Amino acid sequence: MSNENIRLIQLGTFETHKPLENKSKNWVTYGRNNCGYDNIIDRYNGSPTNATIINSYINLIYGNGLAFKGNSTEEWVKIISIFPKKEQRKVIADFYGLGEGTLQIIKTKDKKNIAKIYHLPTNKVVPALENEDEEIEGYWYCKDWSKQNQNPPEYYPSFGTSNEAIEIYRIKPYKIGQGYFSPPSYMQGLTYAFMEEKIAEYYASHIQNGLSFGYIINIPDGNSLSPEQKDELEYKIKQKLTGSNNAGKFILSFNGRDAEITVTPLQVNDAHKQWEYLTSEARQQLMTAHGVVSPMLFGIKDSTGLGNNADELDTAEAQLVKRVIQPIQRTILEALDEIFNFYGININLYFKPLTEATQTTDVAMGSHVCCSDEKKNLFDNEIANELISLGEENSDEWELIESEILTNESA
C-alpha cells in the first residue's frame, strides 16, 4: 500500500531558531522575520507553569520599584522624571521574559543631557551587523518584522556612539556561545513549556472528541481515487466529524474495491498515566530551568510536603531572592548606572523588596534591600529619639554631681 493511501493528521513539532544575518540590509534577525521571539512568547502564552513563574519573577525583580541610598535627592528627582515606573516594569518584563531589555534614550535639544528613557519591545528590535571590532554600532526597530514593506525598519545608533537625538541601549547579559542575542535564562525549559502546552491541547481535544483517542476510517476502492478526489473526500469527512461537538482525530485508509467502509476506534491502554507522567515531568523541568527553590512559592503543590508553613516559605523566598533575583537586579542596575553616569548623574540605586521576607544582607551593586547594619542603626536611632523625647532640657535648677568620659572599654 502506498503512502498516499494512508493519511495521518498529527501534532506539529517544536522549532528552535538561530540568528540570521542579512548583509544587504545590515541587520540580524532572531530567526526568519524575527520569529525566534514569537516562539518564546508563544511558550509564555501557552504554558501555565511557565507563565506563572515568569510573572512571579518579574514582580520579585521589580519589587516596589527603584529607590536610592544616600543624600542624592536632586539626582533622584531627575531619575524618576526621566525613567517612569511603568517603563521600568516593561523593561524588566522583557529582560526576564525574553532575555534582553531594550531602552530608547532620548536626549535634550542640545544633546548634552538625557531627557527621557522609554522601553522598546525587545522582540521588535534587532542588532545591526557587528563592525570589525565585533561591536554593534546600532539597532533596527520594526513594528512587525513579518510585514516589513508596510512597516519599514528604522535605524538608531547604539548608546554613547553618536550625536543623534535618539540612541538604543540593550541590556544583554553575556551567555556562553551566544553573539547577537542573549536567550532567556530558562531557554532550556522551552521544550517542556511546549510539551505542557500540547498536553493541554490534547486533553481539550480528547474531551471534544467524546473521550475517544481517534478512529481509522477505511474507504472501499479508495486506491482508485485520484489525489484530488481523496482531498475532497477528506475535506467532507472533516466537515462532518470535526469540531467541539464531534469526533476530531481520524485516519483515512483508502482500500481496494471489495472492502467495506469500516470505522475502527483507536484504543490506548493506560494513556492517562502516560500523560500524567509527562505533565509532571514538564512542570518539574520548567521549574529546574527557572531555578525555582520551592514550588509552593508559585502556588504549585509540592509532593515532598516541604515548604508548607509560613517560616519555610519565607526561607525559600529569601533563598530565591538571593540566588536568582538579586543577580538579575544587579545586571539591570549596572546598565542604569552606566547610562546615568555617562550624563553625570551619580546615584546609588537599588530595588525595594516586594515583601519583608526578601530582605537580605547583600549590598553588592545596590541590589540589596536593607542590610543588617542599616536595620540596627535605624532601630538604635528610633530608641534614641524616643528616649530624647521623654527627657528634659538642662536648666540652672539642676546641680551637676558627677561626670565621666565613657570609652568603648568602659561601655
Side-chain angles (χ1 to χ4, degrees):
M1 183 179 293
S2 67
N3 293 335
E4 179 60 32
N5 290 331
I6 297 179
R7 300 185 180 186
L8 174 63
I9 300 170
Q10 59 186 0
L11 293 173
T13 56
F14 180 76
E15 293 183 75
T16 56
H17 303 275
K18 297 180 179 180
L20 296 178
E21 296 185 4
N22 189 325
K23 294 184 179 180
S24 63
K25 299 289 187 179
N26 186 34
W27 64 52
V28 184
T29 57
Y30 190 18
R32 181 180 174 82
N33 294 325
N34 223 30
C35 62
Y37 286 116
D38 295 335
N39 178 41
I40 298 172
I41 294 171
D42 288 344
R43 302 295 76 79
Y44 168 81
N45 291 328
S47 167
T49 302
N50 195 40
T52 297
I53 296 174
I54 290 174
N55 291 337
S56 298
Y57 275 21
I58 291 170
N59 288 333
L60 285 171
I61 294 167
Y62 179 77
N64 283 311
L66 283 173
F68 74 100
K69 295 195 309 175
N71 300 317
S72 308
T73 305
E74 184 177 347
E75 287 80 1
W76 174 245
V77 172
K78 291 180 182 178
I79 287 176
I80 58 177
S81 65
I82 291 172
F83 193 25
K85 288 186 175 182
K86 64 178 182 178
E87 302 299 318
Q88 298 172 22
R89 273 191 170 275
K90 292 176 183 178
V91 171
I92 290 172
D94 273 6
F95 183 76
Y96 187 75
L98 299 177
E100 300 170 304
T102 308
L103 304 173
Q104 185 182 43
I105 311 298
I106 311 294
K107 300 178 185 179
T108 55
K109 290 183 178 180
D110 60 8
K111 301 177 183 178
K112 294 181 179 180
N113 293 295
I114 184 171
K116 285 287 184 180
I117 297 178
Y118 293 110
H119 157 265
L120 278 182
T122 292
N123 57 306
K124 298 180 180 180
V125 180
V126 304
L129 289 167
E130 291 181 344
N131 60 21
E132 295 179 353
D133 297 324
E134 298 184 348
E135 296 173 339
I136 297 173
E137 297 179 336
Y139 291 88
W140 294 85
Y141 170 83
C142 182
K143 188 175 181 180
D144 186 347
W145 283 96
S146 65
K147 299 177 180 178
Q148 296 174 26
N149 292 333
Q150 297 95 315
N151 305 277
E154 302 175 60
Y155 177 81
Y156 297 98
S158 296
F159 173 76
T161 64
S162 75
N163 195 35
E164 298 296 322
I166 300 176
E167 293 179 339
I168 299 295
Y169 187 104
R170 180 88 108 184
I171 307 177
K172 185 172 75 73
Y174 172 77
K175 298 289 179 65
I176 298 175
Q178 303 295 331
Y180 286 106
F181 299 97
S182 180
S185 58
Y186 60 91
M187 186 70 178
Q188 294 77 9
L190 288 182
T191 303
Y192 294 95
F194 178 79
M195 183 189 300
E196 190 176 69
E197 179 182 343
K198 292 306 175 183
I199 290 172
E201 290 180 5
Y202 166 80
Y203 280 129
S205 177
H206 199 49
I207 293 172
Q208 289 176 345
N209 298 339
L211 299 179
S212 168
F213 181 74
Y215 302 93
I216 294 178
I217 303 176
N218 295 294
I219 308 298
D221 197 26
N223 55 6
S224 66
L225 299 177
S226 67
E228 292 76 14
Q229 290 174 320
K230 292 176 181 179
D231 289 339
E232 179 65 20
L233 181 58
E234 180 179 334
Y235 173 76
K236 289 181 178 179
I237 293 176
K238 280 184 178 180
Q239 292 293 101
K240 293 291 185 180
L241 296 182
T242 60
S244 60
N245 297 319
N246 302 304
K249 300 289 188 301
F250 59 88
I251 297 176
L252 292 180
S253 178
F254 298 98
N255 304 313
R257 184 183 301 274
D258 297 332
E260 298 180 354
I261 295 180
T262 61
V263 179
T264 304
L266 298 177
Q267 302 294 335
V268 177
N269 296 327
D270 298 328
H272 65 286
K273 294 181 180 179
Q274 176 186 4
W275 296 117
E276 285 176 3
Y277 167 76
L278 292 175
T279 300
S280 176
E281 180 70 6
R283 183 181 298 123
Q284 180 59 50
Q285 295 300 333
L286 269 171
M287 291 190 294
T288 299
H290 282 284
V292 170
V293 174
S294 170
M296 289 296 292
L297 292 174
F298 306 94
I300 301 172
K301 183 175 177 58
D302 187 359
S303 59
T304 64
L306 298 176
N308 293 325
N309 60 60
D311 290 340
E312 290 177 344
L313 286 176
D314 286 346
T315 300
E317 184 177 353
Q319 287 297 313
L320 177 66
V321 169
K322 179 179 180 180
R323 299 176 184 276
V324 179
I325 301 302
Q326 287 186 347
I328 297 173
Q329 290 176 329
R330 290 191 198 102
T331 302
I332 297 172
L333 291 169
E334 286 170 0
L336 295 178
D337 190 52
E338 180 181 352
I339 294 171
F340 291 128
N341 285 348
F342 186 85
Y343 288 101
I345 302 175
N346 299 304
I347 187 171
N348 192 354
L349 296 173
Y350 70 97
F351 285 100
K352 291 188 290 186
L354 188 63
T355 63
E356 290 297 324
T358 62
Q359 294 184 356
T360 73
T361 59
D362 189 355
V363 298
M365 276 310 300
S367 65
H368 88 295
V369 174
C370 186
C371 74
S372 57
D373 288 340
E374 286 182 340
K375 290 172 67 178
K376 182 176 183 299
N377 291 338
L378 178 62
F379 182 71
D380 290 345
N381 289 337
E382 290 177 346
I383 294 177
N385 291 333
E386 184 67 18
L387 291 174
I388 292 173
S389 66
L390 296 175
E392 299 179 7
E393 294 183 0
N394 290 334
S395 69
D396 296 336
E397 298 178 359
W398 294 93
E399 179 180 359
L400 178 61
I401 298 176
E402 182 180 3
S403 66
E404 180 181 358
I405 298 177
L406 296 178
T407 64
N408 289 337
E409 289 76 9
S410 58

